[in-house]
Each structure stands twice: as C-alpha cells, then as structure tokens.
Amino acid sequence: MYKINDNYLKLPGSYLFSTIGKKVAAYAAEHPEKQIIRLGIGDVTQPLAPAIIQSLHRAVDEMGNAETFHGYAPDLGYEFLRKAIAENDFQARGADISADEIFVSDGAKCDAGNIQEIFSTDNKIAVCDPVYPVYVDTNVMAGRTGTYDPKTETWSDVIYMPCTAENGFAPELPKETPDLIYLCFPNNPTGSTITKAQLQEWVDYANKVGAVIIYDAAYEAYISEEEVPHTIYECEGARTCAIELRSFSKNAGFTGVRLGCTVIPKDLKCGDVSLHALWARRHGTKYNGAPYIIQRAGEAVYSPEGKAQLKEQVAYYMKNAKTILEGLKDAGYTVSGGVNAPYIWLKTPHGMNSWEFFDYLLENAGVVGTPGSGFGPSGEGYFRLTAFGSYENTAAALERIRKL
C-alpha cells in the first residue's frame, strides 16, 4: 500500500493566513452589515503601473502572431530580464552579480520553499524568531526540523534567533552553529532592518563556519535609509556564502502576476560542487519558466517610466506606513517598523495575547491584522499591520483603532 510523506502531519494547524481567512469569513457571515478593513495579509492594492500595462499589451500582441510567438522560456529566464535585473539591482549598487547567475521564477515564496531541496536533510537551519512561516514549514515538510513542542511552539532541530525589543528586532549570531541561515531584511513581520556593517558580520560568520545564508530581499524597494543595504552582495565575501531571493510582488505590485528570481553566484560551492549547478538542475527539471508576457512586464519595471511610476507607488504605501506608525504612537501603542518597510509591528495592549488582540480588533473595530504568534514564539504579544491598503482605508482603520 502507498505511503504518504508523514512530515506533513507534523505541521501544527493550518497555514497562518488560511486561519486568518477562515476567522474573517466567519465574522463577515455573522455581521454582513459591517465593513471590514483588511490590514493583515501583505497584498498590494494599487493597480499595475502604466509602463507595465503597456508592456503587457505589447507582449500579448506578440503572442498573437506566429513570427513573434514565444513558447517555453529558457531555463534561467529570458536574457532581456536577467540582464535588466543584474544591471539595475546589483551592478548599479556595486554588487558583482552577472545575468547568468540569476534564475527567474514565479515568485520569492516558491523559491523560499524550494531552495531547501538542494541541501541535505541533515543540515540544521537557523531562523529569526519571529519569522516568515514558509521558511520553517517547508523544512518541516522535508523532515529537517525534528519534533514539535506545542508548549514552546518550537522545533527540536531548529536554531531560533530571537528578535525582540531588547535587540532592536535584529538577530544575534547564534551560539549553536547552523548550516543554513535564513535572513529577511527589511524584515517580515517586524519591519526591522540592519546596517551594511551588521550584515557584513553575518557574511563573515557564514564564511567562517561554512554556512549558507538564504537572504530574502523581497522588501528592498522600501529602504529609505542610506546605511541599510539593498542586497547582501554589497557585502564583501557574500558570493561564497549567500543565496538571495527577490520578488516583484511588493516593489511592482506583481502579487497577482507572479514574478521573482533567485541569485546563486557561481563562487558558492560545497567542496567541488556548485550550488548554482544544482539549482539549475532542479530549476530545469521541475519548472518551465515564468510566461513570456510576465517577463516582459518585469523588464518594464526597469524602464525610466517604470522606475518613476513605481517610486510613486512605493511612496504611496510608505505614506500609509507613516500614518499607521504615527497614529498608533499617538494612541499610546508601542510600535516599530514602518520606516524602511511596509510593516508595522506593535505590542498588544492590556496584556492580551496575539490572537486575543486579533479577535478584539476584528470584533470591535472591524480591522484585520496578523497575530505575531503566528510568526513564532517571540512574536507572542505582538501584532503586524500592513501598509498595503488604500490610504482611505488605512486612515479609516486608524480612526477606528483610536476610538477603542
């Protein structure tokens, strides 16, 4: 008789945002007269920029003619997009990354989950706590995390790096040596950042102990402070220890379009084995590439018009972030984030735990956020709000919260 991958059975409950969705749906069914403002899931709300729409239209027209029709994309992605990414996101910042070290995909979430496949299940992972759930859950599915302790909400074979108010929500180098280190900056969920000098310490550490950093840079477009790096490859030595995940979802509004990329330098090796070659083999075997029209849309992100339009869009969301941050402070909440990231991290009031505050906010203000405990044990007692709503809804949500 067939057997299942029983590692899936180890996962506690459902995916965080599925649980939130069910709770909100149940509340909406019971209170159809109430308008719910959703500041929970980090989904964008502004339409695609005109330059991107124009590129999509041109590409669709191309697909309607035999002479310009495109079928399967190249394994790594089209040269025109990889070249634009390499030049604008890396080389323009002094980072030595070439187009053939970039693998185009349908988003950073998939790559964050799939990248662990090229590593042995014997590897021990280290994660920030709180953390984006995909990093841990996909390693659970692979059988890499040991046993789950429901009391502490931790896995026996995972190294947790607490990110608390005391350390500015930035992790410290772990006492136990990991093999794989997941870092995300600007951080989801806390909105925290680290300086280039701090990130250099991580790169030096990884090279010293023989670890690989899996660096999620999905929110780099929101960085406003000079000392905060936009890519880990701004650091010396990162080519021999780091893989970077990048997304078009938050910088260009592609959450419903789907496009991202993973960068693996050719210098990154385990002995004589190239991780670039391993990922190329995995990528070519299991993936047929992002659609041509979507990759053309991605190319438009780097056009002069696209850059200008997306700069305005990012500013729109960061205006929301500032509204939430300052509004909550004025209302007496303890808050952080919202400066280099579209997330605001707040301490739950009156001793409520994260899910209690979720229910309280939903029932009394009709506002949806994300319980911090869903991101890990150090997230308990905290709550995440996103700046991705409309400005009108953001302002209305703050007014409701202030009246509580």
Side-chain angles (χ1 to χ4, degrees), residues 136-159:
V136 175
D137 286 0
T138 52
N139 277 284
V140 174
M141 294 170 180
R144 195 177 281 114
T145 57
T147 57
Y148 182 70
D149 183 345
K151 291 183 179 179
T152 61
E153 297 183 333
T154 59
W155 295 89
S156 61
D157 292 346
V158 173
I159 300 169

Side-chain angles (χ1 to χ4, degrees), residues 25-79:
Y27 179 82
E30 292 176 8
H31 305 279
E33 76 288 354
K34 293 193 176 181
Q35 181 195 12
I36 299 172
I37 301 177
R38 301 168 190 264
L39 301 180
I41 296 176
D43 194 2
V44 296
T45 54
Q46 295 300 294
L48 293 174
I52 295 169
I53 292 295
Q54 291 167 11
S55 183
L56 280 169
H57 281 305
R58 287 194 298 269
V60 168
D61 289 340
E62 288 183 54
M63 295 296 283
N65 293 286
E67 295 80 7
T68 53
F69 173 80
H70 289 77
Y72 291 126
D75 282 355
L76 272 68
Y78 285 101
E79 173 71 15

Side-chain angles (χ1 to χ4, degrees), residues 75 104-107 258-259 282-291:
D75 282 355
V104 176
S105 70
D106 58 0
R258 307 310 304 150
L259 189 65
R282 191 266 173 205
H283 207 61
T285 301
K286 292 192 174 185
Y287 186 62
N288 273 333

Side-chain angles (χ1 to χ4, degrees), residues 118-180:
I118 66 173
F119 296 99
S120 167
T121 54
D122 294 336
N123 286 318
K124 179 160 283 193
I125 68 168
V127 297
C128 296
D129 173 29
V131 67
Y132 183 45
V134 172
Y135 307 152
V136 175
D137 286 0
T138 52
N139 277 284
V140 174
M141 294 170 180
R144 195 177 281 114
T145 57
T147 57
Y148 182 70
D149 183 345
K151 291 183 179 179
T152 61
E153 297 183 333
T154 59
W155 295 89
S156 61
D157 292 346
V158 173
I159 300 169
Y160 291 89
M161 303 181 292
C163 300
T164 64
E166 288 70 29
N167 61 17
F169 301 106
E172 299 171 0
L173 297 176
K175 293 181 176 62
E176 183 181 357
T177 303
D179 302 299
L180 305 177

Side-chain angles (χ1 to χ4, degrees), residues 61-380:
D61 289 340
E62 288 183 54
M63 295 296 283
N65 293 286
E67 295 80 7
T68 53
F69 173 80
H70 289 77
Y72 291 126
D75 282 355
L76 272 68
Y78 285 101
E79 173 71 15
F80 61 77
L81 178 56
R82 291 186 290 113
K83 185 172 183 288
I85 294 170
E87 291 178 352
N88 290 275
D89 289 339
F90 298 101
Q91 294 165 14
R93 299 190 182 281
D96 180 21
I97 294 296
S98 60
D100 63 357
E101 294 175 315
I102 295 169
F103 297 80
V104 176
S105 70
D106 58 0
K109 181 177 182 179
C110 292
D111 286 353
N114 294 331
I115 194 67
Q116 52 80 26
E117 288 188 24
I118 66 173
F119 296 99
S120 167
T121 54
D122 294 336
N123 286 318
K124 179 160 283 193
I125 68 168
V127 297
C128 296
D129 173 29
V131 67
Y132 183 45
V134 172
Y135 307 152
V136 175
D137 286 0
T138 52
N139 277 284
V140 174
M141 294 170 180
R144 195 177 281 114
T145 57
T147 57
Y148 182 70
D149 183 345
K151 291 183 179 179
T152 61
E153 297 183 333
T154 59
W155 295 89
S156 61
D157 292 346
V158 173
I159 300 169
Y160 291 89
M161 303 181 292
C163 300
T164 64
E166 288 70 29
N167 61 17
F169 301 106
E172 299 171 0
L173 297 176
K175 293 181 176 62
E176 183 181 357
T177 303
D179 302 299
L180 305 177
I181 304 167
Y182 287 81
L183 295 178
C184 173
F185 292 106
N187 186 258
N188 176 17
T190 66
S192 64
T193 55
I194 58 176
T195 65
K196 181 179 177 180
Q198 289 174 303
L199 186 55
Q200 184 67 58
E201 291 181 12
W202 281 97
V203 170
D204 294 342
Y205 171 79
N207 278 318
K208 178 182 178 181
V209 302
V212 172
I213 297 173
I214 299 172
Y215 191 78
D216 188 343
Y219 300 93
E220 65 81 24
Y222 293 86
I223 294 171
S224 60
E225 296 179 328
E226 286 293 327
E227 68 271 19
V228 179
H230 288 255
T231 167
I232 196 169
Y233 301 115
E234 292 180 43
C235 296
E236 185 178 351
R239 286 184 55 86
T240 56
C241 71
I243 293 171
E244 184 163 301
L245 313 176
R246 297 183 73 95
S247 170
F248 285 74
S249 288
K250 304 310 194 300
N251 68 324
F254 277 36
T255 55
V257 178
R258 307 310 304 150
L259 189 65
C261 70
T262 288
V263 182
I264 305 185
K266 294 181 179 179
D267 296 346
L268 182 53
K269 296 181 179 181
C270 180
D272 294 329
V273 179
S274 163
L275 268 62
H276 180 280
L278 289 184
W279 185 244
R281 186 69 172 89
R282 191 266 173 205
H283 207 61
T285 301
K286 292 192 174 185
Y287 186 62
N288 273 333
Y292 171 74
I293 60 173
I294 304 303
Q295 295 197 46
R296 279 296 184 192
E299 180 189 31
V301 167
Y302 300 102
S303 68
E305 299 82 7
K307 288 180 179 179
Q309 291 161 9
L310 293 178
K311 185 176 180 180
E312 291 181 4
Q313 201 166 86
V314 167
Y316 178 94
Y317 291 130
M318 290 311 291
K319 179 183 178 183
N320 288 349
K322 184 177 180 180
T323 298
I324 298 171
L325 186 67
E326 294 183 352
L328 290 175
K329 283 183 179 178
D330 290 344
Y333 287 84
T334 300
V335 290
S336 60
V339 176
N340 295 293
Y343 293 122
I344 292 81
W345 190 242
L346 65 109
K347 190 170 179 59
T348 56
H350 312 305
M352 283 187 273
N353 68 35
S354 297
W355 280 106
E356 287 172 345
F357 186 65
F358 174 91
D359 293 334
Y360 174 77
L361 208 58
L362 178 61
E363 292 167 6
N364 294 281
V367 174
V368 177
T370 308
S373 61
F375 297 102
S378 289
E380 181 55 84

